[in-house]
Amino acid sequence: MLNFIDTVGEAVADIKDGSTVMIGGFGNAGQPFELIDALLDSGATDLTVVNNNAGQGDQGLALLIKEGRVRKMICSFPRQSDSWHFDTKFKAGEIELELVPQGNLAERIRAAGAGIGAFFTPTGYGTMLAEGKETRLLDGKWQVFETPIHADVALIKALKADRKGNLVYRKTARNFGPIMAAAAKHTIAQVSEIVPIGALDPENVVTPGIYVNSIVKVA
Amino acid sequence: MLNFIDTVGEAVADIKDGSTVMIGGFGNAGQPFELIDALLDSGATDLTVVNNNAGQGDQGLALLIKEGRVRKMICSFPRQSDSWHFDTKFKAGEIELELVPQGNLAERIRAAGAGIGAFFTPTGYGTMLAEGKETRLLDGKWQVFETPIHADVALIKALKADRKGNLVYRKTARNFGPIMAAAAKHTIAQVSEIVPIGALDPENVVTPGIYVNSIVKVA
Amino acid sequence: MSIQTNVQTSATPLGRDELAALVARDIAPGSFVNLGIGQPTLVSNYLSEEQNITLHTENGMLGMGPEAHGDEIDGDLINAGKIPVTELPGASYFHHADSFAIMRGGHLDICVLGAFQVSATGDLANWHTGAPDAIPAVGGAMDLATGAKDVFVMMTLLTRDGASKLVEQCSYPLTGVGCVTRVYTDKAVFLTGPDGVSVRETFGCTLEELQALVPVPLKAVAAVGV
Amino acid sequence: MSIQTNVQTSATPLGRDELAALVARDIAPGSFVNLGIGQPTLVSNYLSEEQNITLHTENGMLGMGPEAHGDEIDGDLINAGKIPVTELPGASYFHHADSFAIMRGGHLDICVLGAFQVSATGDLANWHTGAPDAIPAVGGAMDLATGAKDVFVMMTLLTRDGASKLVEQCSYPLTGVGCVTRVYTDKAVFLTGPDGVSVRETFGCTLEELQALVPVPLKAVAAVGV
């Protein structure tokens, strides 16, 4: 069921402790900063967060980590020049890390949304990130068995939503939004604009409304 | 390398006997009729054809089958009220059939283009179409091991191409076009219009030009 | 929708259109629905605008409108049965892999299908008679059976020969295992699941008369709510 | 591009920009290319318009243009290194799964990467020093190493301590197995593969001098063409 919600606070109010939360964005592009701030304010804790990174500087996901709300990160690139909050927690053994090659991260999220129970991928074969994983020779290449990443909630950012919940994005801010929307039980999208039904060309819809549960406009 | 080609005959001239050829379309929507006719004229034979159906009436794929050019069909729905050429060949034991549930057909084609070596899908579990296949309990569902379908050539139909080979489609004629373009070594697209670079909005490109090798305009 | 103890809600068996209207009434507002080819397509005639139902067609569209007529007919806009259809405002198009991801991923609320047979545990047989000389053709049937949150079947309860299509175990080749949650027939609405078959309502027969027609143990649905 | 028997093509080792220009010259017209973060990014400065190269960035774009400056800067348009970039005519955007499908599916012609070490059989180590207290971060490195038709590495041949980065077997954790096809260094261009390491050209040293620096057996590339 699709709901249009007035504030980011109400939009994230039902996120429970212990949830797995996907957060869209690559770098700052497509990061739903306002929804992340609202999640921080909500007090939800013991979270597993799926994002490409593990927070940067003193904002957004970095603050969630600093405040001890994140039990586990699933990401491809936690270490950055300004990922000091993650670094501190990780070295103190206070946060769990599942490091996933970026393409496997994307494909595992896509598999969850598409109802694929598992897949074999050549990426990571023969590396420490595939240690202990089942492997198989397929199409002449050794491949690694990988499983979907499902989530309770996805927080994503899009450019526009229509009143059916259809979404379009902007440039490289699209990144993880469409696949996370499909992989989560409940998808919350912050958008810059809400347009009437019929204002988006059906040929150009990127995320069909079937994947979206809550929409909040952020100025 | 992308080529713009004047005639459908030249476009299909290099398709070799014994090739696996994907043909886009669902019903008549998105069927590249002119390319199929050119393939018939080319004389190429011993083909494996991947299409949702196995030809209808006395046109297109049905004629390829009638003329004995198709060794094997990989499809989801061969039997139709007017699939008489396929029916005759099949009952005479003169054509091989690999019957694949439509969603597994689509996902196996997608896997080929995406470099996924195999995947597990719940579709078909416990049915005669999964007999002899490896199964596994994943995410609480019994799932079936399926492998990618690669092709030598894809023949697809799109609405417009720009001079970079980017494609857009029209309505439900999109169907198998984008995934077949990615799954084949050589993709030939017939289009209604060729537009200059910059005429397609980068947000709305459906098949990026990297997947397209030959483009021919069909009036 | 209220679920009640077994009630004979009609004095006569339901016709195809009455059954379609009943299915339509049972679809929750705002649902995303796929209507299979044949009898299930009739359901679309009885969906009200207030229900705000979005129809999916597996050949790549959400927001499918009614069948197209006359000038509306567009060869590029067809449904899974290859019938020309129309586009409603708020529609979207996508390719076949994305379309079946919607189904397989469990995003559709309801899929309505025809059937040759349904078993007591919800197995579905609707794609193949199993005749040795038949050319098999499956299309999207197995994907539809597997993917939706609820799979409703619409069928006559009996074959022309009077045999029950609701069976202990399907004799026709299966489309999906344990996938059907509800069976709408001319004589009754059945709920199927791991606990066996319950009867929600009957049409033109009592539960006892119904049981005499059907080779699986039936029970009345327990009262829910008021 | 002509491949010649071992030739010293420069009297001195190549600088970073000269090396980038050489890689750029070796990219066939019409290629689709991904340039890794760091030194490989320099290659874009030397691609000519006539080459008609299309650049891919794994965060969802084909047709990436040069770095953005001043008013061009748009927070929604960045590359994999999170640097603001521009869009060229004929570009396209797609989501992350589609973007990595382009890589994993083998559709890119060339990927150019930096490296800590490359082995004689083309194993690549470029993501992790293996230090016990290091926080690991892999990003798209393993996907890039696995997916492109050709993986070119750009690196200095020696570490600051004078150790060869071209090694018999990588001591750093691997990024990919047997994936590197060509290694561009300040002192030579190496071709790697199942048959071992060949030297295409040297810069400021002879093949013999080069062999003294490198712990794997080198051979000159056989003459091709005229």
Side-chain angles (χ1 to χ4, degrees), chain A residues 52 76 100-108 119 121-125 127 129 141 146 176, chain B residues 114-116, chain D residues 34 56 58 96-97 99-108 111 113 124 126-127 138-149 151 175-176 179:
Chain A
N52 188 61
S76 87
V100 184
Q102 198 173 144
N104 287 357
L105 184 67
E107 189 68 12
R108 291 176 63 191
F119 59 91
T121 166
T123 302
Y125 174 76
T127 74
L129 296 188
K141 280 186 192 175
E146 294 285 352
F176 285 94
Chain B
I116 295 298
Chain D
N34 186 301
H56 172 258
E58 56 262 44
H96 245 78
S99 185
F100 281 79
I102 288 176
M103 291 153 66
R104 195 190 311 103
H107 304 285
L108 291 177
C111 171
L113 296 172
L124 172 67
N126 78 345
W127 74 284
V138 67
M142 291 183 179
D143 308 275
L144 287 163
T146 307
K149 288 174 196 145
V151 174
T175 308
C179 54

Side-chain angles (χ1 to χ4, degrees), chain B:
Chain B
M1 201 63 186
L2 176 66
N3 288 297
F4 290 84
I5 296 179
D6 289 333
T7 68
V8 288
E10 292 167 86
V12 304
D14 292 336
I15 300 179
K16 292 182 178 55
D17 292 354
S19 296
T20 296
V21 181
M22 290 181 172
I23 301 181
F26 179 91
N28 287 345
Q31 286 270 5
F33 282 112
E34 287 80 358
L35 284 172
I36 302 171
D37 289 347
L39 179 60
L40 182 67
D41 292 344
S42 81
T45 191
D46 194 31
L47 303 174
T48 295
V49 171
V50 184
N51 181 257
N52 188 61
N53 305 104
Q56 298 174 253
D58 285 295
Q59 61 178 351
L61 177 53
L63 292 183
L64 268 182
I65 291 169
K66 178 189 178 195
E67 298 298 330
R69 308 290 178 74
V70 182
R71 185 179 65 74
K72 178 180 178 182
M73 276 302 316
I74 302 176
C75 68
S76 86
F77 209 81
R79 185 195 65 232
Q80 309 209 62
S81 59
D82 56 353
S83 59
W84 43 70
H85 293 306
F86 175 83
D87 300 0
T88 304
K89 290 281 180 194
F90 184 76
K91 290 186 174 174
E94 290 169 10
I95 194 165
E96 193 183 335
L97 170 64
E98 181 178 347
L99 188 71
V100 184
Q102 198 174 142
N104 287 357
L105 184 66
E107 189 68 12
R108 291 175 63 190
I109 295 168
R110 189 259 173 197
I116 295 298
F119 59 91
F120 283 93
T121 167
T123 302
Y125 174 77
T127 75
M128 57 186 268
L129 296 188
E131 272 169 23
K133 294 191 175 182
E134 178 182 347
T135 58
R136 205 178 283 205
L137 186 63
L138 295 161
D139 284 336
K141 282 185 190 174
W142 280 99
Q143 310 215 13
V144 183
F145 181 81
E146 294 284 353
T147 53
I149 302 174
H150 295 271
D152 298 300
V153 179
L155 306 181
I156 65 168
K157 179 182 174 180
L159 178 65
K160 294 182 195 179
D162 72 12
R163 289 273 165 193
K164 277 277 195 184
N166 295 308
L167 304 180
V168 294
Y169 300 82
R170 189 165 175 278
K171 301 189 185 285
T172 60
R174 186 184 303 195
N175 58 67
F176 285 95
I179 52 176
M180 288 181 169
K185 289 195 201 93
H186 187 90
T187 294
I188 306 171
Q190 67 172 67
V191 301
S192 303
E193 195 182 347
I194 295 170
V195 299
I197 290 175
L200 298 181
D201 184 337
E203 301 284 0
N204 303 338
V205 168
V206 175
T207 293
I210 193 169
Y211 292 126
V212 184
N213 303 99
S214 298
I215 291 173
V216 56
K217 185 179 163 182
V218 169

Side-chain angles (χ1 to χ4, degrees), chain D residues 73-225:
Chain D
I73 291 174
D74 178 339
D76 286 343
L77 182 46
I78 60 175
N79 68 12
K82 291 160 192 163
I83 308 294
V85 292
T86 53
E87 168 191 303
L88 295 180
S92 55
Y93 295 103
F94 28 78
H95 62 58
H96 245 78
D98 281 350
S99 185
F100 281 79
I102 288 176
M103 291 153 66
R104 195 190 311 103
H107 304 285
L108 291 177
D109 296 296
I110 294 170
C111 171
V112 186
L113 296 172
F116 297 151
Q117 290 177 326
V118 177
S119 84
T121 55
D123 293 352
L124 172 67
N126 78 345
W127 74 284
H128 192 10
T129 62
D133 65 336
I135 297 175
V138 67
M142 291 183 179
D143 308 275
L144 287 163
T146 307
K149 288 174 196 145
D150 271 300
V151 174
F152 292 178
V153 160
M154 287 176 78
M155 64 181 191
T156 55
L157 180 60
L158 306 179
T159 66
R160 284 181 202 173
D161 300 335
S164 174
K165 296 184 189 174
L166 184 65
V167 294
E168 199 58 56
Q169 208 163 2
C170 296
S171 57
Y172 288 115
L174 290 190
T175 308
V177 176
C179 54
V180 177
T181 52
R182 234 184 256 185
V183 185
Y184 288 84
T185 74
D186 50 333
K187 297 201 190 320
V189 177
F190 303 91
L191 312 185
T192 51
D195 298 336
V197 183
S198 308
V199 178
R200 192 183 81 180
E201 53 190 311
T202 62
F203 314 122
C205 59
T206 65
L207 183 57
E208 289 67 34
E209 288 164 342
L210 188 66
Q211 181 67 79
L213 298 173
V214 170
V216 303
L218 302 177
K219 55 183 187 235
V221 169
V224 169

Side-chain angles (χ1 to χ4, degrees), chain A residues 171-182:
Chain A
K171 302 189 184 281
T172 59
R174 183 182 305 195
N175 57 66
F176 285 94
I179 52 175
M180 288 183 170

Side-chain angles (χ1 to χ4, degrees), chain C residues 143-199:
Chain C
D143 308 275
L144 287 163
T146 306
K149 288 174 197 146
D150 271 300
V151 174
F152 292 178
V153 159
M154 287 176 77
M155 64 182 191
T156 56
L157 181 60
L158 305 179
T159 66
R160 285 182 202 172
D161 301 336
S164 174
K165 296 184 188 171
L166 184 64
V167 294
E168 200 58 57
Q169 209 162 2
C170 296
S171 58
Y172 288 115
L174 290 191
T175 309
V177 176
C179 54
V180 177
T181 52
R182 234 183 257 186
V183 185
Y184 288 84
T185 74
D186 51 334
K187 296 202 192 318
V189 177
F190 303 90
L191 312 186
T192 50
D195 298 336
V197 181
S198 308
V199 178

